[in-house]
Amino acid sequence: MERLNDALGVTRLAPSPTGALHLGNARTFLVNWALARQRGWRVLLRIEDLDHPRVKPETIDQTRAELRWLGLDWDDEVPLQTTDLEPCHSALQKLGRAGLIYACTRSRAELLLSAPNEGDQTIRAAAADRPAEAGQPIEQPKTTSTWRLMVEPGLCCVSDAFCGDHQIDVATDCGDFAVWSNRGCPTYQLAVTVDDARQGVNQVVRGDDLLSSAARQQCLQAHLRLPTPTWWHLPLLRGPDGRRLAKRHGDTRISRWRSGRPDRLVGLLASFCTSGDDPVPMTASAFLETFDIDRVPRSDVIVTSDHIRWLDA
Ligand code: GLU
């Protein structure tokens, strides 16, 4: 059965063009790609350009070029998310007709438009704050309103092929989360749910800061009668202070090392996929030959100044 699923596997590399590729997302993409190529999954590239204010269009080409430079490839690229919002709109209508959403008039600053990566402030929209009309069926939800999904209390089990089972209560985690923004477009949660389903994605590999989002996406999948993909949430790369690797830890953008060959970079990322191995330069195809998902540490990886020195050498 596993073989059959693998043969029909479809995954996606889903960068957000909100900034340059950095060590953290490069490592996730490398693992995603290697898992896919080892198991014969189809690989889609999906540039997630819904995050309007933070999208930097110039990083779209740069991201493609940097993925290629690392040695990764994909079988197809799907259109940019913003060019095809109709399927998300019809999902919104379905939720509206089922009386599952309500228009929320709370401030723009509270919108959950972007992927709620760790460190973002998650809003908790409690059931007690719903407007009186919440629960009424809505035939044509206005696309200029913010719509929130009514979340019922109860545990949702996210079964992850890499990090095991997690029980998450979406009502206490974030409450009624936004599925549509008053800027006229779906939020990350709705878009990713609809796109994964319509693009046949059944293997989702990403950072474990999105584990709680998987529970929200499972709520939407249940309401929209869409399949749940197999999740693979990987631990994050962190700085020496234990916080998620970011600008505050210095420049870890891939562009910093692009004048040379990618072997040292891939070698370092490969060493983060085994416990205790020293990095040795290697190509992505050499990584593919030795990569073993069962050896990937279950805990977060600390990136130190020694690692950066190794890359700079
Ligand atoms: N585009 C998202 C990001 O770069 C990934 C979302 C996902 O994999 O579901 O964080």
Side-chain angles (χ1 to χ4, degrees):
M1 189 62 189
E2 171 149 359
R3 274 191 170 190
L4 183 66
N5 284 340
D6 274 350
L8 302 173
V10 181
T11 191
R12 56 2 180 237
L13 308 176
S16 294
T18 49
L21 212 61
H22 55 83
L23 285 183
N25 45 22
R27 192 259 202 160
T28 305
F29 292 138
L30 184 68
V31 170
N32 192 353
W33 173 83
L35 258 180
R37 292 301 182 222
Q38 283 184 343
R39 292 164 183 243
W41 302 342
R42 197 170 146 68
V43 180
L44 305 178
L45 177 67
R46 184 171 76 216
I47 308 268
E48 302 204 321
D49 67 333
L50 264 180
D51 198 353
H52 288 305
R54 287 165 54 210
V55 164
K56 303 193 183 97
E58 67 281 6
T59 64
I60 295 182
D61 281 341
Q62 190 187 340
T63 299
R64 288 190 195 103
E66 286 174 350
L67 290 171
R68 287 202 188 95
W69 177 78
L70 284 169
L72 311 193
D73 62 355
W74 46 93
D75 302 303
D76 213 348
E77 177 171 348
V78 297
L80 294 181
Q81 280 184 315
T82 48
T83 59
D84 188 11
L85 295 180
E86 185 40 44
C88 288
H89 188 226
S90 70
L92 179 75
Q93 286 180 331
K94 262 191 209 153
L95 297 172
R97 278 187 215 120
L100 291 165
I101 51 173
Y102 61 88
C104 171
T105 51
R106 294 162 79 185
S107 77
R108 266 177 86 104
E110 288 179 330
L111 289 188
L112 289 172
L113 185 59
S114 53
N117 295 103
E118 186 196 273
D120 289 358
Q121 285 187 328
T122 303
I123 310 160
R124 268 168 207 83
D129 297 335
R130 289 175 191 159
E133 69 278 10
Q136 301 284 327
I138 299 147
E139 257 328 294
Q140 291 291 341
K142 272 200 339 222
T143 55
T144 49
S145 301
T146 297
W147 295 95
R148 286 185 186 278
L149 183 78
M150 296 166 67
V151 173
E152 297 315 319
L155 289 178
C156 164
C157 180
V158 175
S159 259
D160 188 288
F162 180 78
C163 65
D165 286 357
H166 293 262
Q167 306 290 341
I168 298 172
D169 185 340
V170 180
T172 51
D173 182 44
C174 65
D176 296 343
F177 59 90
V179 293
W180 197 269
S181 145
N182 60 5
R183 277 180 264 177
C185 59
T187 62
Y188 159 74
Q189 303 294 355
L190 183 65
V192 82
T193 302
V194 169
D195 284 351
D196 281 341
R198 72 193 175 110
Q199 291 156 6
V201 171
N202 52 17
Q203 307 291 330
V204 169
V205 184
R206 58 190 180 187
D208 66 9
D209 52 333
L210 290 171
L211 191 62
S212 58
S213 285
R216 296 174 217 174
Q217 290 156 24
Q218 284 186 201
C219 286
L220 283 169
Q221 285 152 3
H223 289 314
L224 294 167
R225 301 195 197 294
L226 300 175
T228 295
T230 301
W231 308 115
W232 306 76
H233 288 94
L234 307 172
L236 298 181
L237 298 194
R238 296 190 179 272
D241 58 357
R243 293 165 77 193
R244 178 197 170 87
L245 196 67
K247 269 189 202 145
R248 61 182 160 259
H249 299 112
D251 185 7
T252 62
R253 287 173 299 179
I254 301 308
S255 51
R256 171 167 170 185
W257 297 286
R258 246 190 99 191
S259 56
R261 291 160 52 89
D263 307 28
R264 288 184 85 82
L265 206 124
V266 172
L268 181 70
L269 299 177
S271 75
F272 294 157
C273 295
T274 55
S275 333
D277 285 4
D278 284 335
V280 283
M282 68 171 79
T283 60
S285 29
F287 172 71
L288 182 56
E289 275 165 35
T290 56
F291 172 70
D292 179 357
I293 186 71
D294 294 330
R295 290 191 66 202
V296 175
R298 261 48 184 176
S299 52
D300 294 333
V301 173
I302 306 289
V303 178
T304 65
S305 49
D306 284 348
H307 292 130
I308 304 299
R309 263 197 295 280
W310 195 81
L311 288 176
D312 286 339

